[in-house]
Amino acid sequence: MTENENIAGDDTGAGATRSGFVALIGATNAGKSTLVNRLVGAKVSIVSHKVQTTRAIVRGIAIHDNAQIVFMDTPGIFKPRRRLDRAMVTTAWGGAKDADLIMLLIDSERGIRGDAETILEGLKEVHQPKILVLNKIDRVKPEDLLKLAAAANEFVTFERTFMISATTGSGCDDLMDYLAKTLPEGPWYYPEDQISDLPMRQLAAEITREKLFLRLHQELPYSSHVETEKWEERKDGSVRIEQVIYVERESQKKIALGKGGEAIKAISTASRKELAEILEQPVHLFLFVKVRENWGDDPERFREMGLEFPKG
């Protein structure tokens, strides 16, 4: 329950409103962030080639008919190896258990293998209603999609199965229609024009982290982190933002900076451009790269990311 719960009310003039939380879970790189952005109609979650880019739960808010649908984009579920991995997987399952409805997204090309099978087994212990969403259907034969849907339903009984393409939007309207009719009646949780509950400072850091991964996903290890340290609204209507990219070793700092500062300049330019579009105001972005050894074992960094620090 949030303080904004009653802002919108349910007096829309077209019947009772509905609202609820829908948790997207799935293996890494199944397309969850792409789908959330598609359904919300705006950039609320970062997308990159690198796996496990979503670290904490990102809520994207969509209005469809009389329903406010709050999508919870959870971290990809995989076999954890490090402390950060364990925190992300725990967060993903926690998000699922807090939702009104669980939406399992499966990459149709990969099918039920490895992490997807583990997730299906785990869903047997989760009691909320569940729907199955097969993504990337444009890359798979129809008969193979039907076999995949049948196989998944042998693990868990899903209320419905949807076949979509998060990239093209195919099948997404039917999915939204179903969600809008299925969520419980009640007032909206957020104002009508709000698309995410992520603070703007954190969203700005996520945008820069995405550009960092897109530019250096082959060279820079997964263990990098971005924080917005300063945010100054200026009298001329622009905003000055200072962010720090944390890496674990000096060699990683050199990669992030690039020869003659080429990499960091390209990352800054791409991030500044997107932030200016989102904020609808000029942006002055300053990026700094700092070495912080073993930041993945620092409880403060986990709190910054919205994750619970796992003990042991």
Side-chain angles (χ1 to χ4, degrees):
M1 197 76 66
T2 73
E3 62 183 4
N4 291 325
E5 179 170 350
N6 293 312
I7 289 180
D10 58 3
D11 184 19
T12 63
T17 57
R18 295 178 180 270
S19 60
F21 292 84
V22 178
L24 270 74
I25 67 169
T28 56
N29 272 0
K32 296 187 301 301
S33 296
T34 302
L35 181 57
V36 167
N37 292 340
R38 164 71 63 178
L39 298 180
V40 172
K43 181 74 161 286
V44 295
S45 194
I46 75 169
V47 181
S48 86
H49 305 297
K50 206 169 184 71
V51 298
Q52 300 140 29
T53 46
T54 299
R55 288 175 171 170
I57 290 177
V58 178
R59 293 177 180 86
I61 305 160
I63 306 296
H64 190 77
D65 295 334
N66 287 335
Q68 185 177 71
I69 308 164
V70 185
F71 294 101
M72 304 163 67
D73 182 12
T74 64
I77 297 174
F78 57 102
K79 187 176 181 180
R81 295 187 297 274
R82 301 162 299 171
R83 192 189 297 269
L84 178 59
D85 296 343
R86 296 201 304 275
M88 289 163 56
V89 171
T90 299
T91 296
W93 281 116
K97 293 175 182 177
D98 288 341
D100 295 293
L101 179 70
I102 295 172
M103 188 157 69
L104 171 63
L105 192 65
I106 290 182
D107 181 333
S108 297
E109 281 191 302
R110 282 188 284 175
I112 304 172
R113 290 182 292 180
D115 294 332
E117 183 174 354
T118 302
I119 294 166
L120 282 164
E121 289 288 351
L123 279 176
K124 294 178 180 179
E125 307 301 319
V126 180
H127 303 297
Q128 282 93 331
K130 295 170 275 288
I131 63 173
L132 173 66
V133 178
L134 302 182
N135 191 23
K136 305 179 185 179
I137 59 170
D138 48 324
R139 305 179 187 180
V140 181
K141 295 178 180 178
E143 56 267 29
D144 292 334
L145 288 170
L146 293 174
K147 291 177 183 177
L148 177 56
N153 276 271
E154 287 181 6
F155 283 86
V156 180
T157 301
F158 291 98
E159 304 288 328
R160 287 280 298 272
T161 297
F162 293 88
M163 300 183 185
I164 62 110
S165 169
T167 302
T168 67
S170 175
C172 290
D173 288 343
D174 289 340
L175 175 58
M176 289 292 281
D177 287 344
Y178 175 80
L179 295 174
K181 294 174 183 176
T182 302
L183 291 177
E185 288 189 6
W188 291 353
Y189 288 94
Y190 299 94
E192 187 172 358
D193 59 351
Q194 188 169 338
I195 62 171
S196 175
D197 71 345
L198 203 62
M200 188 51 67
R201 290 170 68 107
Q202 191 175 341
L203 178 60
E206 288 290 280
I207 295 295
T208 298
R209 188 162 67 94
E210 177 186 61
K211 306 313 175 192
L212 178 73
F213 283 168
L214 289 174
R215 173 83 185 189
L216 301 171
H217 72 276
Q218 292 181 323
E219 297 97 329
L220 193 66
Y222 170 62
S223 53
S224 56
H225 175 55
V226 180
E227 290 183 16
T228 301
E229 292 209 330
K230 293 184 179 180
W231 186 293
E232 178 190 356
E233 298 285 347
R234 307 181 73 169
K235 292 181 180 179
D236 62 1
S238 66
V239 59
R240 176 190 169 94
I241 303 171
E242 293 184 13
Q243 295 178 330
V244 177
I245 299 171
Y246 288 105
V247 294
E248 291 188 315
R249 291 187 292 278
E250 194 66 36
S251 59
Q252 297 171 3
K253 180 177 180 179
K254 293 179 180 178
I255 293 172
L257 291 172
K259 187 176 180 180
E262 179 185 1
I264 198 71
K265 288 177 184 175
I267 293 164
S268 179
T269 298
S271 182
R272 183 175 64 249
K273 181 180 178 181
E274 183 160 332
L275 285 170
E277 292 174 355
I278 291 173
L279 297 170
E280 297 182 338
Q281 65 185 124
V283 172
H284 307 283
L285 177 63
F286 299 87
L287 299 183
F288 306 90
V289 184
K290 295 183 180 180
V291 177
R292 178 171 280 163
E293 294 184 2
N294 301 318
W295 73 263
D297 294 322
D298 182 357
E300 182 61 29
R301 303 281 76 74
F302 280 70
R303 283 191 287 272
E304 286 285 342
M305 289 185 283
L307 296 171
E308 184 176 340
F309 185 74
K311 298 177 181 179

